[in-house]
Amino acid sequence: MSDTAPVYQFQAHHLWQGAQWQTDAAFGVDSTGRIIASAGESPEYLDGWVLPGMPNLHSHAFQRAMAGLAERRGPGDDSFWTWRETMYGFAERIDPDTLQAIAAQLYVEMLKAGYTQVCEFHYLHHQPDGSPYAQPEAMSLALIEAAREAGIALTLLPVLYMSGGFDGRALSPRQRRFGNHVDGYLQLLGNLRKHESHDVRVGVALHSLRAIPEHAWRGVMEHDALKNGPIHIHIAEQIGEVQDCLATRGARPVEWLLDHAPVDHRWCLVHATHLTESETAQLAHRGAIAGLCPTTEANLGDGLFPLARYIDAGGVLGIGSDSHISISPVEELRWLEYGQRLSTRHRNVAARHAGESVGETLWRAALKGGALAADLPIGSLTPAQRADFIVLDSESPLLAARDARSAMDSFLFAGNTPLVRHVMAGGRWVVRDFHHRDEARIASRYRAAMQRLA
């Protein structure tokens, strides 16, 4: 029980609690923004389907502003690697003020779509020429301030980025603003951890195996800064990455990582697209989170994660919007399932047993994995958890005559009409009747920032 009096008292017609729907369930929210069990007298009635907000476990905020700018075919075969060159050129033009404007707009869009937390995999540390800002953490602080403006919970993951490939070559001119050395990185991490709060968690991001030389790896792993909190890493996203790792380190990326790092439930392996059966089983056994970003993985031509094998092995997963060509947990989960259907030519792949709901299976799984990746008390509407929840539009035709057996599947698979009507994040209403509390001002500033970039 909370020792503080409830600020809000609710009675929900349908509440997703304990991984299933509860009818006419009462709960409250205290002054710290946490769920309490008893709602007390005269609760506000929530006439709709009330679900925990979804964590977004992988975001590069600045890439929101370049969505749609890399869709013209180049002179050769377009791939992740050609897209990356476009991204580098765009990243050179982002400063702290621009980043805050972009991120705040992005976070508003996330909240309106049903995300109530974001893990920001952040590597734009320095000025374009690689020199530090007067305040070295200026770009990171822009993201913290953007999250505060929007009202979204943030797990900030400053990135260690040291080399330009598995061969240990120096960073290219376009990568210079990402780069750091171990001591400088640890100092940045320490400075940022002073900004932690109920709404902000700071973890560790290791960009990828190709970005950290093998000789530096053990020193990084043994440092006290990595002993607690979440650790995220890009891994096995592209076939070329797998081939380079085999050539230089004699092992596949996930195989090498599992052999050289204490991978456990604190680790989020982003993408992990190209896995052998053995890697899939070992990853599941370790309890690490597979951080899947289906719309970005499709946009970049990455490939398909072995979802059925991973679920059967008891693996933990979550979803992220990554490059933000789509900002919708519905679309991420829908295309996670649809990719499997296209590949296997079967339906209802994520539901592994007769009678199971695909929508419920995916939402439940992504809540669990996202909460672990964020390292915050989120993902369920139970006492002491953050009051992060969404209320679906009970008046929408897409939910007409739906019951507890079909509501989640209809939310995810019945169409593209926005169904998230209200959003509470950290005990504060941030979206009411489809509108964010500060969306007009934030959108106006974003448009001005885009004009400057253009």
Side-chain angles (χ1 to χ4, degrees):
M1 288 288 292
S2 171
D3 293 329
T4 59
V7 175
Y8 294 101
Q9 303 172 113
F10 297 113
Q11 186 85 18
H13 185 43
H14 297 286
L15 179 70
W16 183 262
Q17 193 175 57
Q20 59 185 351
W21 291 112
Q22 309 287 343
T23 303
D24 291 325
F27 68 100
V29 178
D30 70 18
S31 60
T32 69
R34 301 296 179 97
I35 298 288
I36 55 177
S38 175
E41 299 178 359
S42 304
E44 177 183 349
Y45 189 65
L46 299 176
D47 181 21
W49 303 89
V50 181
L51 300 83
M54 182 59 66
N56 185 328
L57 57 62
H58 194 62
S59 166
H60 303 298
F62 78 94
Q63 292 180 18
R64 175 66 186 103
M66 63 170 282
L69 298 182
E71 306 303 324
R72 287 183 179 271
R73 188 178 180 93
D77 288 336
D78 279 348
S79 67
F80 166 82
W81 307 103
T82 54
W83 170 89
R84 191 175 71 160
E85 290 303 313
T86 301
M87 181 270 289
Y88 285 163
F90 191 83
E92 290 175 347
R93 301 154 63 194
I94 307 295
D95 61 21
D97 288 343
T98 305
L99 180 59
Q100 183 176 334
I102 295 169
Q105 175 63 28
L106 168 67
Y107 297 158
V108 166
E109 294 174 19
M110 284 186 184
L111 287 163
K112 292 175 69 174
Y115 291 117
T116 49
Q117 184 279 340
V118 58
C119 294
E120 191 62 50
F121 198 102
H122 170 59
Y123 51 80
L124 290 185
H125 299 307
H126 309 305
Q127 298 184 73
D129 65 0
S131 61
Y133 286 96
Q135 186 175 23
E137 60 270 29
M139 295 290 275
S140 295
L141 295 179
L143 292 168
I144 292 175
E145 183 59 22
R148 185 200 63 78
E149 284 187 273
I152 198 168
L154 172 69
T155 298
L156 180 61
L157 302 161
V159 172
L160 178 61
Y161 201 132
M162 300 175 66
S163 63
F166 281 103
D167 57 5
R169 62 183 177 271
L171 298 175
S172 72
R174 284 184 154 186
Q175 295 171 316
R176 285 180 300 194
R177 71 180 310 186
F178 313 157
N180 38 39
H181 52 79
V182 174
D183 290 343
Y185 175 74
L186 295 173
Q187 184 175 356
L188 173 66
L189 202 59
N191 290 343
L192 291 174
R193 282 182 168 163
K194 297 173 185 176
H195 295 272
E196 287 190 317
S197 67
H198 291 303
D199 300 318
V200 178
R201 181 78 167 100
V202 176
V204 167
L206 309 171
H207 181 271
S208 57
L209 294 185
R210 69 179 183 271
I212 302 176
E214 188 171 357
H215 66 80
W217 185 264
R218 187 165 299 281
V220 173
M221 286 293 98
E222 292 176 350
H223 200 280
D224 287 344
L226 274 71
K227 295 297 195 300
N228 297 294
I231 303 172
H232 291 223
I233 185 170
H234 290 136
I235 202 154
E237 180 179 3
Q238 285 281 326
I239 290 292
E241 176 189 353
V242 175
Q243 292 170 338
D244 288 348
C245 192
L246 279 166
T248 57
R249 301 195 182 182
R252 298 168 58 86
V254 172
E255 177 188 12
W256 193 93
L257 184 70
L258 293 174
D259 286 343
H260 290 82
V263 175
D264 60 13
H265 67 278
R266 296 190 303 124
W267 286 72
C268 178
L269 277 61
V270 181
H271 305 305
T273 306
H274 301 286
L275 299 178
T276 64
E277 289 191 27
S278 174
E279 289 170 330
T280 303
Q282 289 184 63
L283 182 59
H285 177 71
R286 293 281 192 97
I289 307 105
L292 308 179
C293 309
T295 59
T296 292
E297 289 154 6
N299 184 267
L300 298 180
D302 288 344
L304 291 171
F305 180 82
L307 182 65
R309 286 205 311 266
Y310 189 66
I311 292 175
D312 290 345
V316 181
L317 64 86
I319 56 167
S321 55
D322 195 351
S323 66
H324 314 302
I325 48 90
S326 174
I327 306 167
S328 166
V330 167
E331 191 168 11
E332 298 299 338
L333 293 175
R334 183 185 295 174
W335 280 101
L336 179 57
E337 169 69 19
Y338 283 175
Q340 304 299 313
R341 295 186 187 189
L342 289 168
S343 176
T344 65
R345 298 184 296 280
H346 290 84
R347 299 188 68 253
N348 300 328
V349 176
R352 307 304 295 155
H353 303 285
E356 282 185 347
S357 155
V358 173
E360 291 181 4
T361 297
L362 291 174
W363 196 269
R364 185 187 303 120
L367 287 175
K368 178 182 177 180
L372 283 171
D375 197 33
L376 287 168
I378 57 177
S380 68
L381 298 178
T382 52
Q385 298 287 293
R386 279 177 57 91
D388 290 356
F389 63 84
I390 66 177
V391 184
L392 303 186
D393 182 16
S394 60
E395 299 177 5
S396 172
L398 299 186
L399 297 178
R402 295 301 194 256
D403 59 16
R405 182 176 173 83
S406 57
M408 189 77 82
D409 290 324
S410 296
F411 174 37
L412 296 186
F413 295 102
N416 295 313
T417 301
L419 293 178
V420 178
R421 184 163 192 160
H422 310 302
V423 180
M424 176 169 280
R428 299 178 293 272
W429 286 116
V430 290
V431 174
R432 291 292 255 176
D433 290 320
F434 304 102
H435 293 287
H436 184 273
R437 64 189 184 188
D438 200 17
E439 67 179 74
R441 180 189 66 84
I442 289 172
S444 177
R445 186 182 60 186
Y446 174 80
R447 287 191 292 269
M450 292 305 95
Q451 287 297 324
R452 292 195 302 272
L453 284 179

